[in-house]
Structure formats: C-alpha cells, structure tokens
Amino acid sequence: LSVTIVLCGICQWCQRKLGKRYKTSLETVGTPDSSRGRSEKKTIKLPAGGKAANTAPVTGQPPHDESDRKTEPHSSVSDLVNSLTSEMLMLSPGSEDDEGHDGISRENLGRIQFSVGYNFQESTLTVKIMKAQELPAKDFSGTSDPFVKIYLLPDKKHKLETKVKRKNLNPHWNETFLFEGFPYEKVVQRVLYLQVLDYDRFSRNDPIGEVSIPLNKVDLTQMQTFWKDLKPCSDGSGSRGELLLSLCYNPSANSIVVNIIKARNLKAMDIGGTSDPYVKVWLMYKDKRVEKKKTVVMKRCLNPVFNESFAFDIPTERLRETTIVITVMDKDRLSRNDVIGKIYLSWKSGPGEVKHWKDMIARPRQAVAQWHQLKA
C-alpha cells in the first residue's frame, strides 16, 4: 500500500525523518489557482503489505510554523466507526444527504468541497481537499485557523493532514493525496473520513465538523466532486451537556450582567462517574482577556444549579469587539482541572450564540435566558 500526502517540500527534516523507514518519491505539481496559491501533490512510498510502519513523521511534519500542532484523541474516529451502518444510501456528487432528520435544525458548521476517484491501471486512490466555506469562528478574534485530517477507516492510527490556513473561514487548500498500490477490493472496504479542526498553538485543537463517505457507495471510475455540509464531530462534544444562562444589557450604565443559572447532563469527568463543576466567565476585548469571574464549585453533581450573576463594564463602542467566554470546568484537587465545555458569546460566534447576543441588544434592561450546548 502506498500513500501520497502533502509535505512541505524536500527538506533535510523530511529526508532525515523518513529515510530510515520509507523509500520516498516526492513529486510536486503546481498550477495557478487565481490568487489562492498552487495546487500541490507530493508522494511518499510506504512499505508493501497494506500498512504503514510509522506515519508519525508525516502527521507531525512542520509546515511553516505549524510544527507544534497538537495530536488529537481518536475518540471521534472510534465513535464514527461504531456508528456506520450498511444501510447508508448511494451517494452522488453534490448530493444533500446531510440535512437534519425529523425536522430538527442544527448549527451551521459550514461545508467542504473535495473530490475522490480511482485509477485502475495504477491501483491508485486519489483524494483532493479543495476548499471550505462558511466555517464557524472558533477563536476570540472571530475567525478560525482551519485544517483537515484525512482517514481511511477502519484504519484509525494513520491520519494525513492539510496545511493550516490562518484566520480564514473560507479556506482554499487544493491539496492532493494519492494512495498508491491500493487494490480496488480493499478501497471499497474503506470509509473516507474528513475532520475539519481549528488549529490552536497553545491548547487542544477545536473540532469544527466532519464528513464521512463509504467508498463502496461512490462511483470511483472517474473523479467525483462533492460539496458536503459538515456535521458535528462525534468526539463526545455532543454529550458535554448544556448550560442555561441569561444576559442583560444596560446601555445607559454600559454594562452586561451574566447570570449563570444551571446546567444539565454534564459530562462525567471523574472516575466515580460524576464531576465537580464550576463556571469561569471571561470578558474578552479583541484578543485580550480583560476580566474573569467564576462560580462556586458544586460537588459531585452533573445537573448543578448555580444562580450566580456577574456584571461587566463594557462601553458601547467596544460591544462589537467584545466576546464573553463561558467555560464549565471540573474541579480536581490532585491534578489540573478539566474543561467540560465552552460557549463563546459575541456578534461573531455560532448561530445560537449570535442569536442570544442580538436578543440581548434588542431587549435592553431585560434578562434574556437561553440554553446553550457546551462545545469542545
């Protein structure tokens, strides 16, 4: 089995890391793409036998200043493998099979364009990550630093990655991944899984959304291009629980009062199947932390009631550049406290958060309450 991935180029780092285990064959193909840069394709020959001996040098490659990208847990991929069923419908390019079921609306996480095809003469599977649109903002500055992880499930150990696109909610990658020497009968047993994440240099990367396609449901005789809506990542973020809070804006006093009311169905973080939750509230202006408040700790409780209010002074002219970050934490006396989930409230957050923010502005001097799903 041979895998083709994107690398930063033929550099001494790549040769030193890969030379011991692989024979490398690096090829770069570039074509102008208006002002978006070049389409890149580079290859690495892996040992025969269908398994890579070690892909750490690949996934840990340092593209420009992304060398310290954090390794993500594989729980999202494991959950996805367990949830896939043989009843999935035949997919066609551009099909809209990602709509919510039973009339339940969900948060818009953006969409991704990619193509996939198989060359029978060369026994090569080609996957091209093209671009994404309308990604949600994950950073305090109201933007994200997205990149894509690529798996061929059920292989969960070896992942490939695109480059990080800095401060971009509509990124263009145009990166090609070739899986060479891959027999067709094995290709159709795999599931193409793409996970879009927000790169964070100093903490855990934030999942944005995911897409999965069983390759036996795709006509691989020619390159097929897909636009797919991103779904919430099945990494447990959907089961982190919910938080009820209210916001009250007083324009004459230039203040916002945040009332942390209660939480429900919080994720158990302790060995005993429970948590000791408390809530931190950060006032951010642009990318800077201004002020922090926090609630008391509720011992061994997954449905805590806080009813604590915090007032923040916010001049009207700063309102559009202000973000209120709500973090539900699990208190641990013997080790570092764990993050259960977060909420970002501002003009530029997700749809649910933006709605709450706008409702607060539209109803001054009234406490506007809303439930929020905690996110990773």
Side-chain angles (χ1 to χ4, degrees):
L1 171 63
S2 299
V3 180
T4 297
I5 64 172
V6 175
L7 290 177
C8 56
I10 305 177
C11 60
Q12 294 181 355
W13 187 93
C14 295
Q15 294 173 353
R16 182 171 65 255
K17 291 292 184 181
L18 297 174
K20 296 181 180 180
R21 303 299 294 270
Y22 312 127
K23 288 184 177 181
T24 61
S25 174
L26 296 170
E27 172 190 2
T28 302
V29 178
T31 57
D33 183 22
S34 65
S35 62
R36 300 291 185 179
R38 298 193 307 169
S39 175
E40 298 185 1
K41 177 176 65 177
K42 303 181 183 181
T43 65
I44 291 182
K45 296 279 190 178
L46 298 183
K51 293 184 178 179
N54 182 3
T55 60
V58 175
T59 58
Q61 60 174 322
H64 304 294
D65 62 342
E66 282 85 51
S67 59
D68 55 355
R69 186 183 303 169
K70 302 295 180 296
T71 301
E72 294 297 314
H74 299 293
S75 57
S76 172
V77 184
S78 301
D79 292 344
L80 182 67
V81 173
N82 295 333
S83 66
L84 290 173
T85 64
S86 59
E87 289 79 19
M88 296 183 72
L89 300 176
M90 179 72 178
L91 300 174
S92 60
S95 63
E96 299 297 332
D97 68 321
D98 291 327
E99 297 297 327
H101 299 285
D102 303 323
I104 299 175
S105 62
R106 57 181 175 82
E107 179 182 357
N108 178 28
L109 300 175
R111 58 182 188 152
I112 186 170
Q113 185 185 43
F114 61 96
S115 59
V116 59
Y118 187 78
N119 187 318
F120 287 87
Q121 291 182 343
E122 299 179 2
S123 298
T124 299
L125 177 71
T126 300
V127 178
K128 183 175 181 179
I129 308 300
M130 302 166 78
K131 58 185 177 181
Q133 290 182 349
E134 300 176 357
L135 298 180
K138 291 289 186 177
D139 300 335
F140 298 140
S141 58
T143 185
S144 293
D145 302 318
F147 69 99
V148 183
K149 288 186 179 181
I150 304 163
Y151 296 84
L152 284 182
L153 302 179
D155 182 3
K156 298 174 289 184
K157 295 182 179 179
H158 307 125
K159 63 181 181 295
L160 312 176
E161 300 177 358
T162 68
K163 294 180 179 179
V164 174
K165 295 298 181 179
R166 298 285 185 179
K167 295 181 172 56
N168 199 331
L169 300 181
N170 297 281
H172 286 236
W173 287 286
N174 290 322
E175 298 185 38
T176 299
F177 300 79
L178 302 182
F179 297 81
E180 296 180 339
F182 204 160
Y184 181 75
E185 57 270 19
K186 291 187 177 181
V187 169
V188 294
Q189 297 175 5
R190 301 298 181 96
V191 173
L192 176 63
Y193 173 66
L194 309 178
Q195 185 183 42
V196 183
L197 300 105
D198 170 50
Y199 170 74
D200 195 319
R201 188 169 187 172
F202 300 106
S203 64
R204 181 173 179 259
N205 298 325
D206 294 323
I208 294 176
E210 65 184 25
V211 167
S212 62
I213 296 185
L215 293 178
N216 65 347
K217 306 299 182 182
V218 180
D219 180 7
L220 296 173
T221 58
Q222 57 184 347
M223 291 297 291
Q224 304 274 11
T225 299
F226 295 86
W227 268 113
K228 306 299 291 182
D229 291 336
L230 293 172
K231 297 180 179 179
C233 292
S234 52
D235 61 348
S237 59
S239 61
R240 294 176 181 271
E242 297 176 278
L243 183 67
L244 177 63
L245 62 95
S246 69
L247 300 175
C248 182
Y249 174 56
N250 189 332
S252 59
N254 288 330
S255 68
I256 291 179
V257 175
V258 181
N259 184 17
I260 306 299
I261 302 173
K262 60 182 178 180
R264 64 188 179 191
N265 303 321
L266 293 181
K267 183 177 180 180
M269 307 296 287
D270 299 334
I271 298 176
T274 186
S275 293
D276 301 320
Y278 68 98
V279 181
K280 291 195 303 185
V281 184
W282 270 105
L283 175 66
M284 309 288 299
Y285 178 64
K286 295 184 177 180
D287 290 332
K288 297 181 180 179
R289 294 180 176 181
V290 178
E291 188 177 0
K292 181 182 77 170
K293 305 287 181 68
K294 63 181 179 180
T295 69
V296 298
V297 177
M298 308 299 288
K299 296 289 187 179
R300 294 180 293 280
C301 185
L302 299 180
N303 297 279
V305 177
F306 297 100
N307 282 326
E308 294 191 48
S309 296
F310 307 103
F312 296 97
D313 294 328
I314 304 174
T316 303
E317 63 273 13
R318 290 193 171 192
L319 206 54
R320 279 193 168 272
E321 299 294 335
T322 294
T323 300
I324 296 176
V325 183
I326 313 289
T327 307
V328 181
M329 305 287 296
D330 171 50
K331 179 71 174 180
D332 198 323
R333 294 181 59 186
L334 302 178
S335 62
R336 185 178 179 182
N337 298 334
D338 297 318
V339 175
I340 298 177
K342 293 184 178 182
I343 301 165
Y344 294 86
L345 298 168
S346 72
W347 283 102
K348 300 172 284 189
S349 305
E353 293 85 350
V354 170
K355 178 183 180 301
H356 198 179
W357 192 264
K358 289 183 176 180
D359 287 347
M360 172 194 71
I361 301 297
R363 296 157 62 183
R365 301 179 185 85
Q366 297 182 42
V368 181
Q370 183 176 315
W371 281 100
H372 291 273
Q373 182 73 49
L374 295 175
K375 301 176 183 178

